[in-house]
Amino acid sequence: MNGYPKVFNVESDPQEEHNIGEMYNWVLGPLLKAVEEYKTTLVRSPNPPGANMTKF
């Protein structure tokens, strides 16, 4: 699963200790589609830069 998002069942595993992505690999297709859609929106509307905690 290296390089893929981790998938957790937060109802039965609220600490997110067990990645179930390999068991339920059908969910990866829709998940990766959502990630790609998000990445395309970043080209149009990039996230603002993070706060700089070293400059006051």
Side-chain angles (χ1 to χ4, degrees):
M1 300 279 317
N2 195 12
Y4 287 96
K6 293 181 180 179
V7 180
F8 300 99
N9 182 340
V10 293
E11 283 188 16
S12 64
D13 182 20
Q15 274 75 32
E16 298 180 353
E17 296 174 345
H18 307 286
N19 181 6
I20 61 171
E22 289 183 8
M23 250 173 30
Y24 299 100
N25 60 2
W26 60 268
V27 78
L28 289 177
L31 179 64
L32 292 174
K33 181 181 177 197
V35 169
E36 288 303 316
E37 289 173 0
Y38 171 70
K39 284 182 175 180
T40 59
T41 65
L42 289 177
V43 173
R44 205 177 23 188
S45 307
N47 288 332
N52 188 337
M53 299 302 288
T54 59
K55 292 184 180 179
F56 298 101

mmCIF file of all heavy atoms in Angstrom:
data_model
loop_
_atom_site.group_PDB
_atom_site.id
_atom_site.type_symbol
_atom_site.label_atom_id
_atom_site.label_comp_id
_atom_site.label_asym_id
_atom_site.label_seq_id
_atom_site.Cartn_x
_atom_site.Cartn_y
_atom_site.Cartn_z
ATOM 1 N N MET A 1 0.825 -1.199 0.000
ATOM 2 C CA MET A 1 0.000 0.000 0.000
ATOM 3 C C MET A 1 0.866 1.259 0.000
ATOM 4 O O MET A 1 0.374 2.331 0.255
ATOM 5 C CB MET A 1 -0.912 0.009 1.224
ATOM 6 C CG MET A 1 -1.861 -1.138 1.343
ATOM 7 S SD MET A 1 -3.366 -1.072 0.391
ATOM 8 C CE MET A 1 -3.942 0.555 0.549
ATOM 9 N N ASN A 2 2.135 1.123 -0.271
ATOM 10 C CA ASN A 2 3.019 2.271 -0.273
ATOM 11 C C ASN A 2 2.611 3.250 -1.369
ATOM 12 O O ASN A 2 2.476 2.888 -2.515
ATOM 13 C CB ASN A 2 4.464 1.825 -0.464
ATOM 14 C CG ASN A 2 5.446 2.911 -0.123
ATOM 15 O OD1 ASN A 2 5.074 3.919 0.461
ATOM 16 N ND2 ASN A 2 6.680 2.715 -0.485
ATOM 17 N N GLY A 3 2.400 4.501 -1.003
ATOM 18 C CA GLY A 3 2.003 5.503 -1.976
ATOM 19 C C GLY A 3 0.507 5.693 -2.075
ATOM 20 O O GLY A 3 0.050 6.624 -2.716
ATOM 21 N N TYR A 4 -0.268 4.829 -1.474
ATOM 22 C CA TYR A 4 -1.722 4.963 -1.496
ATOM 23 C C TYR A 4 -2.207 5.542 -0.176
ATOM 24 O O TYR A 4 -1.588 5.335 0.867
ATOM 25 C CB TYR A 4 -2.381 3.597 -1.710
ATOM 26 C CG TYR A 4 -2.225 3.076 -3.112
ATOM 27 C CD1 TYR A 4 -1.209 2.191 -3.431
ATOM 28 C CD2 TYR A 4 -3.093 3.474 -4.113
ATOM 29 C CE1 TYR A 4 -1.064 1.709 -4.718
ATOM 30 C CE2 TYR A 4 -2.955 3.007 -5.403
ATOM 31 C CZ TYR A 4 -1.943 2.118 -5.697
ATOM 32 O OH TYR A 4 -1.807 1.664 -6.967
ATOM 33 N N PRO A 5 -3.344 6.229 -0.205
ATOM 34 C CA PRO A 5 -3.903 6.718 1.066
ATOM 35 C C PRO A 5 -4.294 5.541 1.960
ATOM 36 O O PRO A 5 -4.659 4.473 1.474
ATOM 37 C CB PRO A 5 -5.154 7.488 0.638
ATOM 38 C CG PRO A 5 -5.039 7.702 -0.820
ATOM 39 C CD PRO A 5 -4.132 6.636 -1.348
ATOM 40 N N LYS A 6 -4.225 5.746 3.230
ATOM 41 C CA LYS A 6 -4.642 4.719 4.175
ATOM 42 C C LYS A 6 -6.149 4.795 4.353
ATOM 43 O O LYS A 6 -6.733 5.869 4.301
ATOM 44 C CB LYS A 6 -3.932 4.909 5.512
ATOM 45 C CG LYS A 6 -2.449 4.670 5.429
ATOM 46 C CD LYS A 6 -1.785 4.835 6.760
ATOM 47 C CE LYS A 6 -0.291 4.578 6.644
ATOM 48 N NZ LYS A 6 0.377 4.762 7.922
ATOM 49 N N VAL A 7 -6.774 3.649 4.574
ATOM 50 C CA VAL A 7 -8.223 3.563 4.742
ATOM 51 C C VAL A 7 -8.486 2.953 6.112
ATOM 52 O O VAL A 7 -7.952 1.897 6.444
ATOM 53 C CB VAL A 7 -8.852 2.686 3.639
ATOM 54 C CG1 VAL A 7 -10.356 2.592 3.827
ATOM 55 C CG2 VAL A 7 -8.515 3.230 2.266
ATOM 56 N N PHE A 8 -9.321 3.637 6.903
ATOM 57 C CA PHE A 8 -9.643 3.167 8.250
ATOM 58 C C PHE A 8 -11.152 3.128 8.435
ATOM 59 O O PHE A 8 -11.880 3.911 7.839
ATOM 60 C CB PHE A 8 -9.055 4.107 9.314
ATOM 61 C CG PHE A 8 -7.570 4.226 9.255
ATOM 62 C CD1 PHE A 8 -6.970 5.303 8.641
ATOM 63 C CD2 PHE A 8 -6.766 3.254 9.812
ATOM 64 C CE1 PHE A 8 -5.600 5.429 8.577
ATOM 65 C CE2 PHE A 8 -5.382 3.363 9.756
ATOM 66 C CZ PHE A 8 -4.806 4.454 9.143
ATOM 67 N N ASN A 9 -11.613 2.221 9.276
ATOM 68 C CA ASN A 9 -13.003 2.205 9.718
ATOM 69 C C ASN A 9 -13.017 2.884 11.078
ATOM 70 O O ASN A 9 -12.691 2.273 12.092
ATOM 71 C CB ASN A 9 -13.525 0.772 9.816
ATOM 72 C CG ASN A 9 -14.973 0.714 10.236
ATOM 73 O OD1 ASN A 9 -15.509 1.666 10.796
ATOM 74 N ND2 ASN A 9 -15.610 -0.407 9.980
ATOM 75 N N VAL A 10 -13.373 4.150 11.105
ATOM 76 C CA VAL A 10 -13.272 4.919 12.350
ATOM 77 C C VAL A 10 -14.331 4.529 13.371
ATOM 78 O O VAL A 10 -14.198 4.855 14.542
ATOM 79 C CB VAL A 10 -13.304 6.440 12.088
ATOM 80 C CG1 VAL A 10 -12.067 6.876 11.336
ATOM 81 C CG2 VAL A 10 -14.551 6.852 11.360
ATOM 82 N N GLU A 11 -15.370 3.815 12.950
ATOM 83 C CA GLU A 11 -16.345 3.325 13.930
ATOM 84 C C GLU A 11 -15.769 2.186 14.752
ATOM 85 O O GLU A 11 -15.889 2.181 15.970
ATOM 86 C CB GLU A 11 -17.626 2.869 13.229
ATOM 87 C CG GLU A 11 -18.503 4.006 12.793
ATOM 88 C CD GLU A 11 -19.843 3.519 12.286
ATOM 89 O OE1 GLU A 11 -20.220 2.354 12.548
ATOM 90 O OE2 GLU A 11 -20.517 4.310 11.626
ATOM 91 N N SER A 12 -15.153 1.223 14.087
ATOM 92 C CA SER A 12 -14.618 0.077 14.821
ATOM 93 C C SER A 12 -13.160 0.263 15.234
ATOM 94 O O SER A 12 -12.657 -0.489 16.059
ATOM 95 C CB SER A 12 -14.753 -1.195 13.982
ATOM 96 O OG SER A 12 -13.979 -1.105 12.818
ATOM 97 N N ASP A 13 -12.481 1.254 14.661
ATOM 98 C CA ASP A 13 -11.067 1.502 14.954
ATOM 99 C C ASP A 13 -10.836 3.011 15.103
ATOM 100 O O ASP A 13 -10.197 3.633 14.265
ATOM 101 C CB ASP A 13 -10.218 0.921 13.811
ATOM 102 C CG ASP A 13 -8.732 1.075 14.023
ATOM 103 O OD1 ASP A 13 -8.301 1.277 15.173
ATOM 104 O OD2 ASP A 13 -7.995 0.998 13.029
ATOM 105 N N PRO A 14 -11.348 3.627 16.179
ATOM 106 C CA PRO A 14 -11.241 5.086 16.311
ATOM 107 C C PRO A 14 -9.810 5.606 16.443
ATOM 108 O O PRO A 14 -9.552 6.760 16.147
ATOM 109 C CB PRO A 14 -12.056 5.403 17.566
ATOM 110 C CG PRO A 14 -12.198 4.124 18.294
ATOM 111 C CD PRO A 14 -12.062 3.019 17.292
ATOM 112 N N GLN A 15 -8.861 4.755 16.853
ATOM 113 C CA GLN A 15 -7.464 5.192 16.943
ATOM 114 C C GLN A 15 -6.740 5.073 15.608
ATOM 115 O O GLN A 15 -5.562 5.404 15.521
ATOM 116 C CB GLN A 15 -6.702 4.373 18.000
ATOM 117 C CG GLN A 15 -6.834 4.907 19.406
ATOM 118 C CD GLN A 15 -8.188 4.624 20.019
ATOM 119 O OE1 GLN A 15 -8.799 3.609 19.724
ATOM 120 N NE2 GLN A 15 -8.662 5.501 20.861
ATOM 121 N N GLU A 16 -7.419 4.582 14.585
ATOM 122 C CA GLU A 16 -6.859 4.415 13.244
ATOM 123 C C GLU A 16 -5.553 3.631 13.292
ATOM 124 O O GLU A 16 -4.526 4.048 12.780
ATOM 125 C CB GLU A 16 -6.678 5.771 12.554
ATOM 126 C CG GLU A 16 -7.980 6.502 12.359
ATOM 127 C CD GLU A 16 -7.819 7.851 11.683
ATOM 128 O OE1 GLU A 16 -6.681 8.302 11.470
ATOM 129 O OE2 GLU A 16 -8.842 8.459 11.376
ATOM 130 N N GLU A 17 -5.611 2.450 13.880
ATOM 131 C CA GLU A 17 -4.434 1.605 14.010
ATOM 132 C C GLU A 17 -4.343 0.562 12.905
ATOM 133 O O GLU A 17 -3.250 0.048 12.635
ATOM 134 C CB GLU A 17 -4.451 0.899 15.367
ATOM 135 C CG GLU A 17 -4.346 1.867 16.533
ATOM 136 C CD GLU A 17 -4.502 1.185 17.879
ATOM 137 O OE1 GLU A 17 -4.962 0.027 17.926
ATOM 138 O OE2 GLU A 17 -4.169 1.827 18.882
ATOM 139 N N HIS A 18 -5.468 0.206 12.273
ATOM 140 C CA HIS A 18 -5.485 -0.886 11.301
ATOM 141 C C HIS A 18 -5.927 -0.373 9.934
ATOM 142 O O HIS A 18 -7.095 -0.028 9.732
ATOM 143 C CB HIS A 18 -6.411 -2.003 11.774
ATOM 144 C CG HIS A 18 -6.106 -2.482 13.157
ATOM 145 N ND1 HIS A 18 -5.003 -3.261 13.438
ATOM 146 C CD2 HIS A 18 -6.721 -2.264 14.338
ATOM 147 C CE1 HIS A 18 -4.972 -3.518 14.730
ATOM 148 N NE2 HIS A 18 -6.011 -2.911 15.301
ATOM 149 N N ASN A 19 -4.993 -0.337 8.995
ATOM 150 C CA ASN A 19 -5.288 0.080 7.630
ATOM 151 C C ASN A 19 -6.039 -1.061 6.941
ATOM 152 O O ASN A 19 -5.506 -2.162 6.797
ATOM 153 C CB ASN A 19 -3.985 0.399 6.904
ATOM 154 C CG ASN A 19 -4.202 0.869 5.497
ATOM 155 O OD1 ASN A 19 -5.323 1.073 5.051
ATOM 156 N ND2 ASN A 19 -3.119 1.053 4.774
ATOM 157 N N ILE A 20 -7.264 -0.808 6.518
ATOM 158 C CA ILE A 20 -8.073 -1.857 5.886
ATOM 159 C C ILE A 20 -8.114 -1.698 4.372
ATOM 160 O O ILE A 20 -8.927 -2.317 3.701
ATOM 161 C CB ILE A 20 -9.498 -1.891 6.470
ATOM 162 C CG1 ILE A 20 -10.212 -0.566 6.230
ATOM 163 C CG2 ILE A 20 -9.468 -2.262 7.940
ATOM 164 C CD1 ILE A 20 -11.682 -0.585 6.569
ATOM 165 N N GLY A 21 -7.250 -0.875 3.813
ATOM 166 C CA GLY A 21 -7.238 -0.629 2.384
ATOM 167 C C GLY A 21 -6.998 -1.869 1.550
ATOM 168 O O GLY A 21 -7.557 -2.014 0.472
ATOM 169 N N GLU A 22 -6.179 -2.789 2.036
ATOM 170 C CA GLU A 22 -5.920 -4.018 1.286
ATOM 171 C C GLU A 22 -7.120 -4.950 1.320
ATOM 172 O O GLU A 22 -7.398 -5.648 0.365
ATOM 173 C CB GLU A 22 -4.678 -4.718 1.824
ATOM 174 C CG GLU A 22 -3.400 -3.997 1.492
ATOM 175 C CD GLU A 22 -2.173 -4.742 1.984
ATOM 176 O OE1 GLU A 22 -2.299 -5.896 2.455
ATOM 177 O OE2 GLU A 22 -1.082 -4.167 1.895
ATOM 178 N N MET A 23 -7.841 -4.964 2.448
ATOM 179 C CA MET A 23 -9.014 -5.824 2.566
ATOM 180 C C MET A 23 -10.173 -5.317 1.718
ATOM 181 O O MET A 23 -10.930 -6.096 1.158
ATOM 182 C CB MET A 23 -9.458 -5.884 4.030
ATOM 183 C CG MET A 23 -9.217 -7.208 4.651
ATOM 184 S SD MET A 23 -9.529 -7.293 6.427
ATOM 185 C CE MET A 23 -10.779 -6.163 6.799
ATOM 186 N N TYR A 24 -10.329 -4.005 1.657
ATOM 187 C CA TYR A 24 -11.439 -3.392 0.939
ATOM 188 C C TYR A 24 -10.876 -2.513 -0.175
ATOM 189 O O TYR A 24 -11.080 -1.305 -0.195
ATOM 190 C CB TYR A 24 -12.298 -2.568 1.901
ATOM 191 C CG TYR A 24 -12.893 -3.392 3.005
ATOM 192 C CD1 TYR A 24 -12.340 -3.412 4.276
ATOM 193 C CD2 TYR A 24 -14.006 -4.187 2.767
ATOM 194 C CE1 TYR A 24 -12.883 -4.174 5.285
ATOM 195 C CE2 TYR A 24 -14.553 -4.959 3.774
ATOM 196 C CZ TYR A 24 -13.995 -4.948 5.031
ATOM 197 O OH TYR A 24 -14.529 -5.715 6.020
ATOM 198 N N ASN A 25 -10.187 -3.135 -1.125
ATOM 199 C CA ASN A 25 -9.517 -2.358 -2.165
ATOM 200 C C ASN A 25 -10.487 -1.715 -3.147
ATOM 201 O O ASN A 25 -10.097 -0.855 -3.913
ATOM 202 C CB ASN A 25 -8.474 -3.206 -2.888
ATOM 203 C CG ASN A 25 -9.062 -4.413 -3.555
ATOM 204 O OD1 ASN A 25 -10.259 -4.631 -3.538
ATOM 205 N ND2 ASN A 25 -8.201 -5.223 -4.129
ATOM 206 N N TRP A 26 -11.771 -2.076 -3.109
ATOM 207 C CA TRP A 26 -12.753 -1.440 -3.987
ATOM 208 C C TRP A 26 -12.914 0.037 -3.654
ATOM 209 O O TRP A 26 -13.318 0.822 -4.499
ATOM 210 C CB TRP A 26 -14.109 -2.143 -3.884
ATOM 211 C CG TRP A 26 -14.681 -2.129 -2.497
ATOM 212 C CD1 TRP A 26 -14.522 -3.077 -1.539
ATOM 213 C CD2 TRP A 26 -15.468 -1.094 -1.905
ATOM 214 N NE1 TRP A 26 -15.159 -2.706 -0.385
ATOM 215 C CE2 TRP A 26 -15.763 -1.488 -0.585
ATOM 216 C CE3 TRP A 26 -15.960 0.124 -2.350
ATOM 217 C CZ2 TRP A 26 -16.518 -0.709 0.278
ATOM 218 C CZ3 TRP A 26 -16.714 0.891 -1.485
ATOM 219 C CH2 TRP A 26 -16.992 0.474 -0.182
ATOM 220 N N VAL A 27 -12.587 0.432 -2.444
ATOM 221 C CA VAL A 27 -12.771 1.816 -2.028
ATOM 222 C C VAL A 27 -11.666 2.725 -2.565
ATOM 223 O O VAL A 27 -11.828 3.937 -2.648
ATOM 224 C CB VAL A 27 -12.881 1.912 -0.491
ATOM 225 C CG1 VAL A 27 -11.521 1.809 0.168
ATOM 226 C CG2 VAL A 27 -13.571 3.179 -0.060
ATOM 227 N N LEU A 28 -10.539 2.147 -2.973
ATOM 228 C CA LEU A 28 -9.408 2.962 -3.418
ATOM 229 C C LEU A 28 -9.711 3.711 -4.717
ATOM 230 O O LEU A 28 -9.234 4.833 -4.905
ATOM 231 C CB LEU A 28 -8.160 2.109 -3.580
ATOM 232 C CG LEU A 28 -7.549 1.620 -2.268
ATOM 233 C CD1 LEU A 28 -6.358 0.724 -2.539
ATOM 234 C CD2 LEU A 28 -7.154 2.779 -1.385
ATOM 235 N N GLY A 29 -10.486 3.130 -5.620
ATOM 236 C CA GLY A 29 -10.819 3.807 -6.878
ATOM 237 C C GLY A 29 -11.526 5.137 -6.641
ATOM 238 O O GLY A 29 -11.053 6.193 -7.088
ATOM 239 N N PRO A 30 -12.665 5.130 -5.926
ATOM 240 C CA PRO A 30 -13.338 6.400 -5.638
ATOM 241 C C PRO A 30 -12.492 7.350 -4.790
ATOM 242 O O PRO A 30 -12.538 8.568 -4.974
ATOM 243 C CB PRO A 30 -14.595 5.976 -4.879
ATOM 244 C CG PRO A 30 -14.824 4.567 -5.282
ATOM 245 C CD PRO A 30 -13.469 3.987 -5.539
ATOM 246 N N LEU A 31 -11.704 6.802 -3.877
ATOM 247 C CA LEU A 31 -10.858 7.643 -3.033
ATOM 248 C C LEU A 31 -9.794 8.357 -3.858
ATOM 249 O O LEU A 31 -9.596 9.565 -3.723
ATOM 250 C CB LEU A 31 -10.201 6.801 -1.946
ATOM 251 C CG LEU A 31 -9.262 7.520 -0.991
ATOM 252 C CD1 LEU A 31 -10.023 8.545 -0.179
ATOM 253 C CD2 LEU A 31 -8.577 6.542 -0.084
ATOM 254 N N LEU A 32 -9.118 7.619 -4.730
ATOM 255 C CA LEU A 32 -8.091 8.231 -5.565
ATOM 256 C C LEU A 32 -8.688 9.222 -6.560
ATOM 257 O O LEU A 32 -8.060 10.228 -6.894
ATOM 258 C CB LEU A 32 -7.283 7.157 -6.283
ATOM 259 C CG LEU A 32 -6.407 6.300 -5.367
ATOM 260 C CD1 LEU A 32 -5.756 5.176 -6.156
ATOM 261 C CD2 LEU A 32 -5.375 7.142 -4.664
ATOM 262 N N LYS A 33 -9.918 8.974 -6.994
ATOM 263 C CA LYS A 33 -10.593 9.920 -7.880
ATOM 264 C C LYS A 33 -10.812 11.253 -7.157
ATOM 265 O O LYS A 33 -10.574 12.323 -7.713
ATOM 266 C CB LYS A 33 -11.924 9.354 -8.362
ATOM 267 C CG LYS A 33 -12.656 10.268 -9.292
ATOM 268 C CD LYS A 33 -13.982 9.688 -9.718
ATOM 269 C CE LYS A 33 -14.700 10.716 -10.593
ATOM 270 N NZ LYS A 33 -16.100 10.439 -10.721
ATOM 271 N N ALA A 34 -11.241 11.179 -5.903
ATOM 272 C CA ALA A 34 -11.444 12.398 -5.118
ATOM 273 C C ALA A 34 -10.129 13.137 -4.899
ATOM 274 O O ALA A 34 -10.084 14.374 -4.947
ATOM 275 C CB ALA A 34 -12.094 12.058 -3.779
ATOM 276 N N VAL A 35 -9.050 12.406 -4.669
ATOM 277 C CA VAL A 35 -7.729 13.031 -4.476
ATOM 278 C C VAL A 35 -7.303 13.746 -5.752
ATOM 279 O O VAL A 35 -6.809 14.883 -5.714
ATOM 280 C CB VAL A 35 -6.685 11.985 -4.036
ATOM 281 C CG1 VAL A 35 -5.283 12.544 -4.100
ATOM 282 C CG2 VAL A 35 -6.994 11.479 -2.641
ATOM 283 N N GLU A 36 -7.487 13.103 -6.913
ATOM 284 C CA GLU A 36 -7.110 13.725 -8.185
ATOM 285 C C GLU A 36 -7.947 14.967 -8.470
ATOM 286 O O GLU A 36 -7.435 15.969 -8.963
ATOM 287 C CB GLU A 36 -7.233 12.723 -9.331
ATOM 288 C CG GLU A 36 -6.156 11.666 -9.313
ATOM 289 C CD GLU A 36 -4.754 12.247 -9.345
ATOM 290 O OE1 GLU A 36 -4.495 13.181 -10.122
ATOM 291 O OE2 GLU A 36 -3.910 11.765 -8.570
ATOM 292 N N GLU A 37 -9.239 14.911 -8.148
ATOM 293 C CA GLU A 37 -10.087 16.095 -8.330
ATOM 294 C C GLU A 37 -9.605 17.245 -7.450
ATOM 295 O O GLU A 37 -9.592 18.400 -7.879
ATOM 296 C CB GLU A 37 -11.543 15.758 -8.025
ATOM 297 C CG GLU A 37 -12.184 14.877 -9.067
ATOM 298 C CD GLU A 37 -13.579 14.413 -8.680
ATOM 299 O OE1 GLU A 37 -14.055 14.773 -7.581
ATOM 300 O OE2 GLU A 37 -14.185 13.693 -9.481
ATOM 301 N N TYR A 38 -9.211 16.938 -6.235
ATOM 302 C CA TYR A 38 -8.686 17.962 -5.337
ATOM 303 C C TYR A 38 -7.398 18.562 -5.889
ATOM 304 O O TYR A 38 -7.206 19.775 -5.872
ATOM 305 C CB TYR A 38 -8.453 17.385 -3.946
ATOM 306 C CG TYR A 38 -7.720 18.331 -3.025
ATOM 307 C CD1 TYR A 38 -8.339 19.477 -2.560
ATOM 308 C CD2 TYR A 38 -6.406 18.092 -2.647
ATOM 309 C CE1 TYR A 38 -7.667 20.358 -1.730
ATOM 310 C CE2 TYR A 38 -5.729 18.963 -1.825
ATOM 311 C CZ TYR A 38 -6.371 20.091 -1.361
ATOM 312 O OH TYR A 38 -5.700 20.961 -0.558
ATOM 313 N N LYS A 39 -6.517 17.705 -6.413
ATOM 314 C CA LYS A 39 -5.253 18.197 -6.957
ATOM 315 C C LYS A 39 -5.487 19.135 -8.135
ATOM 316 O O LYS A 39 -4.754 20.115 -8.297
ATOM 317 C CB LYS A 39 -4.376 17.022 -7.402
ATOM 318 C CG LYS A 39 -3.715 16.287 -6.268
ATOM 319 C CD LYS A 39 -2.839 15.176 -6.827
ATOM 320 C CE LYS A 39 -2.061 14.467 -5.779
ATOM 321 N NZ LYS A 39 -1.219 13.402 -6.360
ATOM 322 N N THR A 40 -6.491 18.871 -8.959
ATOM 323 C CA THR A 40 -6.770 19.759 -10.087
ATOM 324 C C THR A 40 -7.305 21.101 -9.608
ATOM 325 O O THR A 40 -7.057 22.125 -10.243
ATOM 326 C CB THR A 40 -7.748 19.127 -11.093
ATOM 327 O OG1 THR A 40 -8.966 18.821 -10.440
ATOM 328 C CG2 THR A 40 -7.169 17.891 -11.722
ATOM 329 N N THR A 41 -8.020 21.133 -8.491
ATOM 330 C CA THR A 41 -8.505 22.415 -7.973
ATOM 331 C C THR A 41 -7.355 23.254 -7.421
ATOM 332 O O THR A 41 -7.457 24.476 -7.376
ATOM 333 C CB THR A 41 -9.570 22.239 -6.872
ATOM 334 O OG1 THR A 41 -8.986 21.609 -5.736
ATOM 335 C CG2 THR A 41 -10.750 21.444 -7.374
ATOM 336 N N LEU A 42 -6.268 22.607 -6.994
ATOM 337 C CA LEU A 42 -5.127 23.357 -6.467
ATOM 338 C C LEU A 42 -4.441 24.181 -7.550
ATOM 339 O O LEU A 42 -3.843 25.218 -7.253
ATOM 340 C CB LEU A 42 -4.112 22.415 -5.825
ATOM 341 C CG LEU A 42 -4.549 21.777 -4.517
ATOM 342 C CD1 LEU A 42 -3.481 20.813 -4.026
ATOM 343 C CD2 LEU A 42 -4.846 22.821 -3.470
ATOM 344 N N VAL A 43 -4.529 23.752 -8.795
ATOM 345 C CA VAL A 43 -3.952 24.521 -9.894
ATOM 346 C C VAL A 43 -4.736 25.824 -10.066
ATOM 347 O O VAL A 43 -4.167 26.899 -10.218
ATOM 348 C CB VAL A 43 -3.969 23.693 -11.195
ATOM 349 C CG1 VAL A 43 -3.531 24.523 -12.378
ATOM 350 C CG2 VAL A 43 -3.095 22.463 -11.043
ATOM 351 N N ARG A 44 -6.050 25.699 -9.997
ATOM 352 C CA ARG A 44 -6.926 26.865 -10.168
ATOM 353 C C ARG A 44 -6.932 27.762 -8.937
ATOM 354 O O ARG A 44 -6.897 28.982 -9.030
ATOM 355 C CB ARG A 44 -8.338 26.340 -10.440
ATOM 356 C CG ARG A 44 -9.254 27.211 -11.173
ATOM 357 C CD ARG A 44 -10.564 26.515 -11.407
ATOM 358 N NE ARG A 44 -10.707 25.462 -10.379
ATOM 359 C CZ ARG A 44 -11.658 24.570 -10.363
ATOM 360 N NH1 ARG A 44 -12.557 24.561 -11.263
ATOM 361 N NH2 ARG A 44 -11.722 23.656 -9.418
ATOM 362 N N SER A 45 -7.001 27.156 -7.763
ATOM 363 C CA SER A 45 -7.099 27.903 -6.507
ATOM 364 C C SER A 45 -6.129 27.307 -5.495
ATOM 365 O O SER A 45 -6.513 26.475 -4.680
ATOM 366 C CB SER A 45 -8.517 27.821 -5.939
ATOM 367 O OG SER A 45 -9.469 28.212 -6.882
ATOM 368 N N PRO A 46 -4.862 27.707 -5.519
ATOM 369 C CA PRO A 46 -3.884 27.109 -4.598
ATOM 370 C C PRO A 46 -4.178 27.462 -3.139
ATOM 371 O O PRO A 46 -4.802 28.486 -2.840
ATOM 372 C CB PRO A 46 -2.554 27.708 -5.042
ATOM 373 C CG PRO A 46 -2.891 28.873 -5.881
ATOM 374 C CD PRO A 46 -4.282 28.702 -6.387
ATOM 375 N N ASN A 47 -3.746 26.587 -2.257
ATOM 376 C CA ASN A 47 -3.896 26.848 -0.828
ATOM 377 C C ASN A 47 -3.040 28.053 -0.447
ATOM 378 O O ASN A 47 -1.962 28.252 -1.001
ATOM 379 C CB ASN A 47 -3.450 25.636 -0.012
ATOM 380 C CG ASN A 47 -4.413 24.486 -0.104
ATOM 381 O OD1 ASN A 47 -5.597 24.672 -0.320
ATOM 382 N ND2 ASN A 47 -3.902 23.278 0.068
ATOM 383 N N PRO A 48 -3.490 28.854 0.519
ATOM 384 C CA PRO A 48 -2.652 29.963 0.959
ATOM 385 C C PRO A 48 -1.418 29.431 1.683
ATOM 386 O O PRO A 48 -1.441 28.327 2.232
ATOM 387 C CB PRO A 48 -3.559 30.745 1.911
ATOM 388 C CG PRO A 48 -4.588 29.778 2.347
ATOM 389 C CD PRO A 48 -4.747 28.805 1.239
ATOM 390 N N PRO A 49 -0.325 30.205 1.706
ATOM 391 C CA PRO A 49 0.868 29.736 2.422
ATOM 392 C C PRO A 49 0.586 29.598 3.905
ATOM 393 O O PRO A 49 -0.251 30.324 4.470
ATOM 394 C CB PRO A 49 1.902 30.822 2.153
ATOM 395 C CG PRO A 49 1.132 32.015 1.706
ATOM 396 C CD PRO A 49 -0.147 31.526 1.123
ATOM 397 N N GLY A 50 1.283 28.681 4.523
ATOM 398 C CA GLY A 50 1.132 28.467 5.965
ATOM 399 C C GLY A 50 1.689 29.631 6.757
ATOM 400 O O GLY A 50 2.483 30.433 6.255
ATOM 401 N N ALA A 51 1.281 29.725 8.005
ATOM 402 C CA ALA A 51 1.773 30.775 8.871
ATOM 403 C C ALA A 51 3.249 30.579 9.178
ATOM 404 O O ALA A 51 3.705 29.456 9.330
ATOM 405 C CB ALA A 51 0.976 30.792 10.175
ATOM 406 N N ASN A 52 4.002 31.665 9.221
ATOM 407 C CA ASN A 52 5.422 31.601 9.560
ATOM 408 C C ASN A 52 5.544 31.922 11.034
ATOM 409 O O ASN A 52 5.318 33.052 11.473
ATOM 410 C CB ASN A 52 6.196 32.596 8.710
ATOM 411 C CG ASN A 52 7.693 32.439 8.890
ATOM 412 O OD1 ASN A 52 8.145 31.929 9.894
ATOM 413 N ND2 ASN A 52 8.446 32.903 7.923
ATOM 414 N N MET A 53 5.933 30.927 11.806
ATOM 415 C CA MET A 53 6.013 31.103 13.260
ATOM 416 C C MET A 53 7.354 31.668 13.703
ATOM 417 O O MET A 53 7.567 31.873 14.885
ATOM 418 C CB MET A 53 5.765 29.754 13.959
ATOM 419 C CG MET A 53 4.393 29.166 13.657
ATOM 420 S SD MET A 53 3.026 30.236 14.114
ATOM 421 C CE MET A 53 3.091 30.125 15.882
ATOM 422 N N THR A 54 8.266 31.939 12.764
ATOM 423 C CA THR A 54 9.568 32.455 13.162
ATOM 424 C C THR A 54 9.685 33.957 12.948
ATOM 425 O O THR A 54 10.596 34.578 13.472
ATOM 426 C CB THR A 54 10.685 31.742 12.388
ATOM 427 O OG1 THR A 54 10.482 31.941 10.997
ATOM 428 C CG2 THR A 54 10.715 30.260 12.699
ATOM 429 N N LYS A 55 8.789 34.534 12.165
ATOM 430 C CA LYS A 55 8.815 35.989 11.941
ATOM 431 C C LYS A 55 7.699 36.630 12.746
ATOM 432 O O LYS A 55 6.544 36.277 12.616
ATOM 433 C CB LYS A 55 8.637 36.312 10.461
ATOM 434 C CG LYS A 55 9.798 35.893 9.603
ATOM 435 C CD LYS A 55 9.593 36.317 8.171
ATOM 436 C CE LYS A 55 10.754 35.887 7.315
ATOM 437 N NZ LYS A 55 10.562 36.259 5.917
ATOM 438 N N PHE A 56 8.068 37.613 13.570
ATOM 439 C CA PHE A 56 7.077 38.295 14.401
ATOM 440 C C PHE A 56 6.974 39.740 14.002
ATOM 441 O O PHE A 56 7.833 40.378 13.554
ATOM 442 C CB PHE A 56 7.441 38.199 15.874
ATOM 443 C CG PHE A 56 7.457 36.773 16.354
ATOM 444 C CD1 PHE A 56 8.639 36.076 16.509
ATOM 445 C CD2 PHE A 56 6.270 36.126 16.652
ATOM 446 C CE1 PHE A 56 8.661 34.780 16.959
ATOM 447 C CE2 PHE A 56 6.278 34.818 17.103
ATOM 448 C CZ PHE A 56 7.477 34.159 17.260
#
